Amino acid sequence: MDDELSSPQNSEPSRWQSLLQRSNKWVRRLRPFSIIILSAFVGAILYNIFFPPPTPMSQDNVDESIAEAMASATPPQPYSALVYQTILPSLVFIQTGQQGGEDEEDGIGIGSGVVVNESGAILTALHVVENANSIDVVFADGTHTTAVLATAQPENDIAILLPTQLPEILVPAILGNPNRMRIGDEAFAVGNPLGLVGSMSAGVISGFDRSIPIGNENGRLEGLIQFDTAVNPGNSGGPLLNRHGQVVGIVTALANPSEQNFFVGIGFAVPIGTAIAAGGGAPGY
């Protein structure tokens, strides 16, 4: 009887129960991994919904992106261009007539000047207009008129001219402070070298408090600004400018070891403070 109770037929439910228990154990063990896999799957679906893949760029999009990149790489306008735009309305072209002696022909001289006040006073170098029989000036807007020598300061080679007629729009230059400049600072000269109207050159300040001889006598110009900005005959009387377009000096001379009057790398300017002191006899000062 006992053998019959322990027969395979009677133990079949026990085996199924054992298998079921073991299956439940595996399910419990695999449940955390199932949750992780399901979460990753759901996360991938949600990511694609909220962060769809980028749309491929068309050729037009590529061209537009290239154009924007090139525009952003365009450098800002250089200081020299801003300086020129600032000073040009105040620049004056000067032409003089000089009567020659018995054995000499009448001469014509050219130079530069700059308007320095609301009365239209023109600051220039004295040697530009000295001994002239006539002085003609041309303003930036094309106004052509005569001028008279109002004040002369030979010890600093500075002159003040008063035009007979003012232009409709008068733009005095902004005066700067050369005492705030240092050797190596940018320096710009705008004038009419060799008759080339409205020319500009750029360089740096090379030194201060320079002294050079003038004329055939023992006179000297003192306290000059030295610069390496290119200047030539015709620049005399024109403005020397800082990077802000402010006048810091009046071009007066160039150093040249030869007898030929051309630029070799050293120019001189009268500081604007010294030059403007010559305006004591001109209106507006």
Side-chain angles (χ1 to χ4, degrees), residues 222-235:
E222 306 283 349
L224 301 178
I225 301 171
Q226 178 189 336
F227 57 88
D228 74 347
T229 307
V231 289
N232 285 283
N235 273 114

Side-chain angles (χ1 to χ4, degrees), residues 6-92:
S6 60
S7 64
Q9 291 82 358
N10 294 334
S11 62
E12 189 69 24
S14 298
R15 285 200 298 269
W16 279 108
Q17 290 177 356
S18 177
L19 289 173
L20 183 60
Q21 290 175 354
R22 281 183 288 178
S23 299
N24 290 335
K25 290 180 180 179
W26 279 105
V27 169
R28 285 194 298 270
R29 291 177 181 177
L30 293 176
R31 184 178 300 167
F33 299 101
S34 301
I35 294 174
I36 293 174
I37 294 173
L38 180 61
S39 299
F41 181 74
V42 173
I45 294 176
L46 293 176
Y47 181 85
N48 288 329
I49 293 175
F50 291 105
F51 303 98
T55 304
M57 296 181 66
S58 65
Q59 186 60 45
D60 290 339
N61 298 139
V62 173
D63 294 341
E64 184 178 353
S65 297
I66 293 174
E68 290 178 356
M70 293 182 66
S72 63
T74 301
Q77 193 174 22
Y79 284 113
S80 54
L82 298 175
V83 169
Y84 187 78
Q85 294 169 11
T86 300
I87 194 60
L88 188 60
S90 308
L91 189 67
V92 177

Side-chain angles (χ1 to χ4, degrees), residues 92-97 120-124 129 132-139 143-151 160-166:
V92 177
F93 177 84
I94 300 175
Q95 180 173 302
T96 62
I122 300 168
L123 194 59
T124 187
V129 296
N133 298 106
S134 63
I135 302 173
D136 294 317
V137 297
V138 182
F139 291 93
T143 299
H144 190 153
T145 185
T146 58
V148 295
L149 177 61
T151 305
I160 293 287
L161 305 180
L162 294 181
T164 305
Q165 176 187 347
L166 295 179

Side-chain angles (χ1 to χ4, degrees), residues 91-92 94 111-114 123-125 128 189-192 234-241 247 249-252 269:
L91 189 67
V92 177
I94 300 175
S112 306
V114 58
L123 194 59
T124 187
V128 172
V190 180
N192 311 299
N235 273 114
S236 291
L240 183 70
L241 307 146
V247 180
I250 298 297
V251 176
T252 185

